[in-house]
Amino acid sequence: MSSRPKILVVDDTHANLVAMRRLLAGFDAELVEADSGNQALALCLDHEFALILLDVNMPGMDGFEVAALLGETDQLKGTPIIFVTAAYADDLNRLHGYRSGAVDYIAKPINDAILQSKVRVFLELYAARMQLQQALDELAERNAQLNTEIAERERAEAKVRHQATHDMLTGLPNRALFHDRLQAAMQRGARHDSGFALAMLDIDGFKAVNDTWGHPAGDALLRSIAARLGSHVRANDTVARLGGDEFALILEEVGDVPLLMERCQHLCDMLALPYPLETGQREFVATVSASIGIALWNGAVDAEESLIQAADRALYEAKGSGKNRCVLSSQES
């Protein structure tokens, strides 16, 4: 396909087409000819023209009708049209032409210099418009590339932030995010005068599984425990892995202590169910349990460390009194 601009010459007289061909031969443009209005319309649908030289007086569809129809089509209405008409065309006909979509007139007999000058101007305008469009297209492409790069950078940053605040093995919040969530829960509780509970949790029998089946088995067990915990707490609660087989739960909006203990005992019962696991080519069933220490916060405890220590004391009591049980801290709420 030619990259040169195209000029459409429309005239029902062959001699006029030949004359136009001669006059425009010096331009670096591709000439396309039509001998009727219908043919001109068909060519305009298949080609993009820098300029249309349109004879006004043609049998059938005249130049005014052709220009008006072109102006009704979004993809064609911006194409400049120069009417070529008899020298005696009066102002009324010229006004009719401009209203039909013409941008200029050339009178017959044609003055070579005037025609060539006007054609040169419109070709230059077309070239400038194409350069502008090319620049806009390149800018749009670069903008799309930048948006892609920004999105990739944001995904990478989000991944780094997630890795910095989440446990790599289980995907749960890690110790750093746990402390942030705990501080937020304390601030929220103070604002809304609502209590919450902190539960510290250790897995009973985890070391035996790790020693018997190896670290991959221990990792698989921790992932299963994390999944069970995540599926048995409410959406606004937090389950975090603090390290090893130690987990922490922030249980929001706790008001009824018996109900809280019932919930924690349910977690113990759920975590004590068998774990069918697979590591490599080996399948086995692991059986562990959980000891849970619980501390309540309702405003009386104003230090994060004090609340954690209270839950830890309750956890040690649970482990020391037989494991696989929940113990509520004796600290007053």
Side-chain angles (χ1 to χ4, degrees):
M1 180 180 293
S2 173
S3 60
R4 296 185 301 162
K6 297 178 181 180
I7 300 174
L8 176 61
V9 181
V10 187
D11 200 301
D12 63 314
T13 303
H14 179 70
N16 291 341
L17 292 175
V18 173
M20 281 290 191
R21 199 181 306 155
R22 177 185 58 81
L23 288 173
L24 302 176
F27 291 100
D28 185 22
E30 179 182 347
L31 298 185
V32 180
E33 299 174 355
D35 59 10
S36 70
N38 286 327
Q39 186 183 12
L41 291 174
L43 287 168
C44 286
L45 294 174
D46 295 332
H47 301 270
E48 179 183 352
F49 292 107
L51 176 64
I52 299 175
L53 297 172
L54 181 58
D55 185 22
V56 171
N57 300 310
M58 294 184 295
M61 186 183 301
D62 64 19
F64 297 132
E65 293 175 280
V66 173
L69 290 172
L70 292 176
E72 294 175 0
T73 306
D74 289 341
Q75 70 185 78
L76 302 175
K77 63 183 179 182
T79 306
I81 299 172
I82 297 180
F83 275 155
V84 181
T85 187
Y88 58 81
D90 54 26
D91 290 341
L92 187 60
N93 278 331
R94 289 179 184 273
L95 182 60
H96 185 192
Y98 290 131
R99 286 177 175 171
S100 299
V103 296
D104 207 346
Y105 264 86
I106 291 180
K108 294 181 180 179
I110 295 173
N111 182 298
D112 296 2
I114 292 177
L115 171 67
Q116 292 169 345
S117 176
K118 291 186 176 183
V119 169
R120 182 176 296 106
V121 168
F122 281 105
L123 289 179
E124 290 173 352
L125 289 173
Y126 179 80
R129 188 165 69 251
M130 291 301 100
Q131 290 176 356
L132 176 59
Q133 186 60 53
Q134 181 180 357
L136 291 174
D137 291 343
E138 292 173 354
L139 182 61
E141 181 179 357
R142 180 55 184 154
N143 188 54
Q145 292 173 348
L146 286 174
N147 287 337
T148 300
E149 292 172 5
I150 291 171
E152 290 175 351
R153 187 178 299 113
E154 288 176 344
R155 283 194 294 270
E157 291 174 353
K159 182 178 180 181
V160 170
R161 285 194 298 270
H162 186 273
Q163 291 174 340
T165 56
H166 288 75
D167 175 52
M168 295 292 290
L169 178 63
T170 63
L172 294 177
N174 62 13
R175 187 179 292 273
L177 183 55
F178 160 72
H179 284 290
D180 288 345
R181 296 271 182 89
L182 185 56
Q183 285 285 345
M186 295 173 70
Q187 294 168 5
R188 195 163 47 248
R191 284 197 306 269
H192 301 293
D193 193 25
S194 60
F196 69 91
L198 171 63
M200 304 298 284
L201 183 153
D202 270 2
I203 303 301
D204 307 319
F206 175 76
K207 185 176 184 301
V209 173
N210 220 25
D211 292 345
T212 302
W213 298 99
H215 290 293
D219 289 347
L221 176 58
L222 288 171
R223 284 193 291 267
S224 295
I225 290 170
R228 286 192 188 181
L229 285 170
S231 63
H232 284 78
V233 297
R234 295 173 299 187
N236 60 338
D237 295 334
T238 293
V239 179
R241 182 187 177 212
L242 304 185
D245 62 344
E246 183 182 4
F247 295 82
L249 291 79
I250 302 172
L251 305 173
E252 303 278 1
E253 300 175 6
V254 171
D256 188 291
V257 173
L259 181 59
L260 169 65
M261 298 306 294
E262 182 180 331
R263 287 180 59 197
C264 290
Q265 185 57 53
H266 173 69
L267 289 176
C268 275
D269 296 340
M270 175 268 300
L271 292 174
L273 295 174
Y275 294 85
L277 300 174
E278 179 180 350
T279 58
Q281 301 299 319
R282 298 184 301 175
E283 295 183 1
F284 64 98
V285 176
T287 302
V288 295
S289 61
S291 297
I292 302 178
I294 308 155
L296 290 171
W297 184 94
N298 64 0
V301 178
D302 57 2
E304 174 186 345
E305 195 58 36
S306 298
L307 186 63
I308 293 174
Q309 289 174 0
D312 275 337
R313 286 194 297 269
L315 172 61
Y316 295 145
E317 184 179 341
K319 294 178 77 70
S321 59
K323 302 181 180 180
N324 190 25
R325 65 193 60 203
C326 307
V327 172
L328 178 65
S329 171
S330 59
Q331 176 178 336
E332 292 187 5
S333 59

